[in-house]
Amino acid sequence: MSGANAVREDRLWQRHADMAKLGGTPKGGVNRQALSPEDAAARNLLASWAKARGFSIFTDMIGNLFVRREGSEPAALPVLSGSHMDSQPTGGRFDGMYGVLAAFEALEALEDAGVTTRRPVMAVAWSNEEGSRFQPGAMGSAVFAGRNKLEDMLAVKDWDGMALSDALADTMKAAPAPMREGNPGFPLDSYVEVHIEQGPRLENERKIIGVVTGIQGSRRYIVHTEGEEAHAGTTPRANRKDAFAAATRIAAAMYEATADADDTLRFTIGRVEVHPGSPNTVPGKASFTIDMRHPQDVVLEAHEKKLLDIVAARAAPCIARIDRVTAVAPTDFDRRVIDLVRAKADTLKLSNMDMPSGAGHDAMHIAKLCPAGMIFVPCERGVSHNESENATPADLAAGARVLVEVLVELANR
Ligand SMILES: [Zn+2]
């Protein structure tokens, strides 16, 4: 029996159902915030499954949880696969969790099929990918890859002022695992992450497997406008310095400037604040956030220039400035891993297409360390970060089958 044949659709589906109970919401989604009691419960469940199969587990100082299936050469660099178990507050059952469970299913399938690999094959649940409780997101993989400092991240506080280090200590108490001391991170041979697409392209194109070529880059900004508070009833237009009116002029021009013909650039204003926030006072201050994404850095650069020009040109009679908060460069996955994913999908006769990832994933950080790639499967109507997120058992199993074959090939190189 090959590894792919040993993937069990029913087992993989049941594992999703079991995990969905931890932080499950009445609408069928999950609320499993990073380093919460629900997160700890998920860690314990994964660990119990791992122990039952005789796999070893360990965690690191940022809370990444690893499961290891030994290879015939234990000293050889491991092949790693996984994703995350935390969720958005109104998250779905599959975002992240599927990548962890597919990786674990791959380990089980190798065990069931009696496949020996030269390299160890490992599954990982990266800590705090969503970044909804503790920011930034993709924190566990970023620290693992040396992109963020452990001490800085341990000091991050959540919305209640709780330090991440305290939440992590609570989680480790509730879900104990052998600790790999010191700075997180160790050498890897390669990394493959499986994920639901979180967009509608595979479904629209009627393909089962997305061969992910890279992850688009993103830049975030905050625009601040400042005018002057005034009486809403008595102040004529000519005397107003309405900070919100300036913000809307700037925003409208930005929507226009970022509407590219091929619909690749993503531009979102997701949060607006108006001060003092009184119905009968002309706003003296306003701010809004911008999230802009594209697979090519030069395009992001060019549009950033446009945003700066708009802020300068449209603020009067108010003043305005734009601050860049973060810039994440696009990720190009390793050509050999991309080709391997496509070849294995073809061998398994699974329809597939090459595509970039619209969302960020832990793989963007790990791709800086070793050859990396991703495998997507469809999710219903492309809906994600939503309690109604859904995927079919057959598609989830298909992704896991491709993963097993890819991992075996990588682990025997
Ligand atoms: Zn995710």
Side-chain angles (χ1 to χ4, degrees):
M1 189 160 54
S2 80
N5 290 336
V7 165
R8 277 179 43 197
E9 183 179 314
D10 58 336
R11 176 171 61 191
L12 182 58
W13 185 252
Q14 184 59 46
R15 295 236 190 273
H16 281 88
D18 293 343
M19 282 291 189
K21 289 178 196 145
L22 309 176
T25 61
K27 286 184 182 168
V30 290
N31 177 8
R32 196 184 305 115
Q33 297 295 305
L35 307 177
S36 65
E38 294 77 22
D39 185 5
R43 289 160 183 266
N44 275 329
L45 188 55
L46 180 66
S48 72
W49 292 336
K51 281 177 200 156
R53 294 306 307 245
F55 305 139
S56 59
I57 63 162
F58 64 94
T59 189
D60 65 16
M61 304 280 280
I62 194 68
N64 298 318
L65 179 62
F66 298 88
V67 179
R68 180 179 169 110
R69 181 177 187 263
E70 210 48 79
S72 60
E73 288 177 33
L77 294 186
V79 175
L80 183 65
S81 177
S83 193
H84 60 94
M85 301 202 292
D86 65 321
S87 82
Q88 290 285 321
T90 53
R93 314 168 148 216
F94 303 98
D95 175 3
M97 184 55 82
Y98 169 50
V100 175
L101 295 180
F104 189 72
E105 178 65 33
L107 264 57
E108 292 200 277
L110 293 176
E111 196 70 10
D112 290 342
V115 174
T116 305
T117 57
R118 186 169 83 78
R119 300 178 181 282
V121 180
M122 296 175 62
V124 60
W126 298 112
S127 198
N128 183 32
E129 193 275 346
E130 293 292 356
S132 56
R133 179 181 178 193
F134 294 104
Q135 293 183 350
M139 186 187 282
S141 53
V143 172
F144 186 93
R147 313 285 295 176
N148 286 78
K149 272 198 180 145
L150 177 64
E151 311 80 68
D152 296 349
M153 297 299 105
L154 291 175
V156 168
K157 290 191 167 68
D158 73 1
W159 49 70
D160 295 325
M162 185 177 199
L164 187 139
S165 55
D166 292 332
L168 183 60
D170 289 351
T171 303
M172 291 299 137
K173 209 177 289 172
M179 175 64 72
R180 187 183 178 280
E181 303 283 345
N183 256 320
F186 49 82
L188 298 172
D189 170 75
S190 46
Y191 176 74
V192 185
E193 179 165 352
V194 187
H195 209 283
I196 56 167
E197 181 199 341
Q198 303 183 283
R201 288 188 63 197
L202 289 172
E203 193 176 81
N204 290 346
E205 307 275 336
R206 300 187 183 281
K207 307 281 194 221
I208 297 172
I209 299 294
V211 180
V212 187
T213 52
I215 298 178
Q216 64 182 349
S218 66
R219 295 187 183 194
R220 291 190 187 167
Y221 309 85
I222 300 181
V223 175
H224 297 274
T225 59
E226 195 172 335
E228 195 172 69
E229 280 129 35
H231 196 292
T234 59
T235 316
R237 212 156 47 219
N239 292 58
R240 291 185 183 217
K241 291 183 180 174
D242 184 330
F244 182 62
T248 56
R249 280 195 303 278
I250 291 169
M254 285 179 170
Y255 282 122
E256 210 168 304
T258 53
D260 57 338
D262 61 353
D263 193 16
T264 306
L265 188 74
R266 300 278 168 258
F267 175 87
T268 304
I269 295 175
R271 185 185 176 110
V272 181
E273 283 184 79
V274 182
H275 296 278
S278 164
N280 50 0
T281 295
V282 174
K285 282 183 190 168
S287 63
F288 62 88
T289 61
I290 294 169
D291 176 305
M292 187 165 72
R293 308 189 197 205
H294 194 278
Q296 289 170 276
D297 227 21
V298 287
V299 176
L300 290 171
E301 194 61 39
H303 280 85
E304 180 174 294
K305 174 87 175 49
K306 289 187 192 178
L307 301 186
L308 265 59
D309 290 347
I310 289 168
V311 169
R314 304 289 178 113
C318 297
I319 53 170
R321 70 169 205 276
I322 179 168
D323 296 335
R324 188 161 88 183
V325 186
T326 57
V328 179
T331 301
D332 294 317
F333 286 136
D334 186 86
R335 185 44 59 189
R336 289 162 299 169
V337 177
I338 296 169
D339 291 344
L340 188 56
V341 169
R342 193 187 309 103
K344 294 303 181 186
D346 286 341
T347 306
L348 292 166
K349 297 191 168 34
L350 294 165
S351 59
N352 60 81
M353 63 187 276
D354 285 16
M355 60 191 299
S357 171
H361 296 286
D362 292 303
M364 66 195 175
H365 295 309
I366 309 307
K368 304 281 190 293
L369 292 182
C370 65
M374 288 189 77
I375 301 167
F376 278 171
V377 300
C379 57
E380 201 174 287
R381 294 183 296 118
V383 173
S384 185
H385 283 193
N386 188 305
E387 289 163 281
S388 67
E389 186 181 273
N390 202 12
T392 70
D395 288 348
L396 298 176
R401 288 193 184 100
V402 175
L403 176 66
V404 177
E405 292 301 310
V406 169
L407 292 178
V408 168
E409 184 103 6
L410 293 171
N412 284 329
R413 283 192 309 187

